[in-house]
Amino acid sequence: MPRAEGRWAGGPLVAVVGATGMVGAELLACLEARRFPVSRLLAFSSGKMRKTIRFRGRTLPAPGVDRRALADCDLVFFVSADEVSARLAPALAAKGVWVIDDSSAFRLDPNVPLVIPEVNAHALSQKRRLIAGPNCTMTGLAVAGRLLHERFRCVAARIASYQAVSGAGRAALEEFFSQTRRLSPRLKLRLGRAPSFAGAPFSALPAPIAGNVIPQVGGFDASGYSSEENKVAAELKKIWGAPKLAASVTAVRVPVSRGHSLAAWLSFSRPVSVAQARSILEKTPGLVFSGNGRYPTPQTAAGKGPVYAGRLRPGTGPRELCLWIVSDNLLKGAALNSVQIAEELLRRGWLKTFSRAA
Ligand SMILES: NC(=O)c1ccc[n+]([C@@H]2O[C@H](COP(=O)([O-])OP(=O)(O)OC[C@H]3O[C@@H](n4cnc5c(N)ncnc54)[C@H](OP(=O)(O)O)[C@@H]3O)[C@@H](O)[C@H]2O)c1
């Protein structure tokens, strides 16, 4: 049991499982920056090494998971791994603990709401205490295209993703930095000979990522689609409530540290002009739209909450549009979205501002 250093007056008792990871660190920062009420914070890690986290100016221990301590919490964020969520989350929710899970363990479970507050807060229910946060690649499109879909009904989405290395967790990002550091001094630009990072050691991703792009995110199924491609397609249908939407995705890892980008070709059931689409995108909640050929890059979105879009243009016919979308995979794609869900629970009075255990 962690020492009781993380206590403050008022607010729910909150735990973060995976607090020492990439998303965990962002989640703690979001709770702090958004002044989410917390009377006590419990932080958990794999417990393989002695670790601590910082929260509200204090250093707190982050030991391995303590099931009994979790059961006393009002709200538990899972930002660790699928198998950890699968093993622990349902029993906690059954005991009345609100659980917000960023893993993919329950996203497609018909009994679990998959929620982006700007898109489908209506899916939240007081009776369903286990709530899933969506795949970080899909989030940008779900937010950016939501009003266009409502107005013109999107019937097909073709998507190419350009995914940051932090989307694969801390180990992948460390590998990317070490490949870059190790190989940069050797690069010399000689006339007619383009330098290459070839030969870097790798284990966290299927190929070296420094100076490369990898058209594989997750394992492949029998038809050749990767698990990430299947997740993006299936979760988009669930979150838009559009089971008949045709979706095809190519997911690519790129040597960017944070910020996922998408090129999307969206086909609608009715003709839609660029001018109509622009005026809808300018009003879409959670979206910052750049018109007149301007566009965001991963650096535009890194460390920021909104989804960004630009390069709106006509597609192959009057019913198709092309759009470029970027969002921070660690924030809107994970930590921030989870905190926004918790804020929505507070707003509705479902998550009490005092602890059950007080
Ligand atoms: N990265 C993203 O962009 C992103 C976006 C959306 C969703 N997600 C999801 O968010 C979760 C965390 O991703 P991440 O990128 O933050 O990964 P990460 O940087 O690798 O961090 C993983 C965290 O989980 C902890 N952990 C590992 N095994 C555990 C166990 N058996 N029990 C308890 N804690 C355990 C780790 O603790 P140690 O420090 O002790 O290893 C660490 O705190 C994953 O489910 C991922 O699918 C990630």
Side-chain angles (χ1 to χ4, degrees):
M1 182 75 184
R3 281 173 296 146
E5 292 150 319
R7 289 180 189 272
W8 295 267
L13 200 167
V14 176
V16 180
V17 177
T20 52
M22 309 267 308
V23 177
E26 297 295 339
L27 197 136
L28 295 171
C30 286
L31 290 173
E32 241 186 276
R34 298 170 74 89
R35 298 176 191 276
F36 190 88
V38 176
S39 63
R40 187 168 174 211
L41 185 95
L42 301 181
F44 296 105
S45 68
S46 71
K48 286 182 194 150
M49 286 167 68
R50 237 181 124 124
K51 290 196 173 171
T52 56
I53 54 101
R54 293 278 296 165
F55 186 67
R56 293 186 178 165
R58 298 186 200 172
T59 301
L60 304 178
V65 171
D66 176 337
R67 282 176 185 246
R68 283 175 56 194
L70 286 181
D72 283 339
C73 291
D74 303 296
L75 170 64
V76 177
F77 292 101
F78 279 92
V79 286
S80 57
D82 287 6
E83 64 84 16
V84 179
S85 300
R87 188 159 40 85
L88 300 173
L92 289 173
K95 284 184 179 144
V97 178
W98 284 103
V99 175
I100 301 176
D101 179 29
D102 255 321
S103 83
S104 60
F106 299 102
R107 289 179 188 152
L108 297 179
D109 183 328
N111 294 315
V112 175
L114 174 66
V115 177
I116 300 174
E118 301 92 324
V119 176
N120 66 337
H122 57 82
L124 292 168
S125 152
Q126 206 163 0
K127 292 190 187 133
R128 295 184 174 179
R129 298 210 164 206
L130 170 53
I131 302 159
N135 174 286
C136 49
T137 311
M138 189 276 295
T139 306
L141 176 55
V143 170
R146 201 255 301 177
L147 284 187
L148 283 174
H149 170 58
E150 277 178 21
R151 177 90 187 271
F152 296 98
R153 197 161 65 82
C154 185
V155 291
R158 293 170 193 82
I159 302 152
S161 74
Y162 306 80
Q163 300 185 208
V165 183
S166 59
R170 186 180 293 278
L173 196 60
E174 277 170 4
E175 187 166 290
F176 171 41
F177 288 160
S178 87
Q179 288 168 357
T180 308
R181 270 195 304 269
R182 184 172 168 275
L183 296 166
S184 300
R186 287 205 226 143
L187 293 177
K188 292 204 176 69
L189 188 57
R190 296 198 194 98
L191 205 59
R193 294 195 63 197
S196 158
F197 282 82
F202 62 94
S203 62
L205 295 171
I209 186 63
N212 215 0
V213 297
I214 308 173
Q216 178 181 3
V217 181
F220 291 121
D221 68 13
S223 62
Y225 277 92
S226 71
S227 56
E228 179 79 353
E229 290 161 353
N230 288 328
K231 279 185 220 170
V232 171
E235 292 180 29
L236 185 63
K237 292 180 200 187
K238 179 169 175 177
I239 216 146
W240 276 358
K244 293 193 179 147
L245 176 78
S248 172
V249 185
T250 299
V252 180
R253 190 75 65 193
V254 295
V256 165
S257 52
R258 70 191 283 174
H260 285 357
S261 309
L262 300 174
W265 292 257
L266 303 175
S267 301
F268 297 92
S269 65
R270 291 188 289 285
V272 46
S273 70
V274 166
Q276 283 171 312
R278 185 188 307 124
S279 107
I280 288 172
L281 290 167
E282 280 166 356
K283 291 181 210 119
T284 296
L287 180 70
V288 176
F289 176 68
S290 303
N292 302 325
R294 285 175 298 132
Y295 53 83
T297 69
Q299 290 186 7
T300 314
K304 307 213 183 76
V307 171
Y308 295 82
R311 294 214 58 209
L312 173 68
R313 58 208 189 279
T316 53
R319 291 164 198 247
E320 190 179 69
L321 294 170
C322 304
L323 190 62
W324 173 254
I325 302 161
V326 183
S327 59
D328 187 315
N329 50 299
L330 297 169
L331 285 175
K332 189 59 195 165
L336 173 63
N337 193 66
S338 289
V339 173
Q340 288 171 323
I341 292 171
E343 288 171 344
E344 185 63 31
L345 299 178
L346 273 180
R347 236 188 315 276
R348 295 179 183 202
W350 296 352
L351 176 64
K352 302 293 175 208
T353 47
F354 52 86
S355 171
R356 298 183 308 158

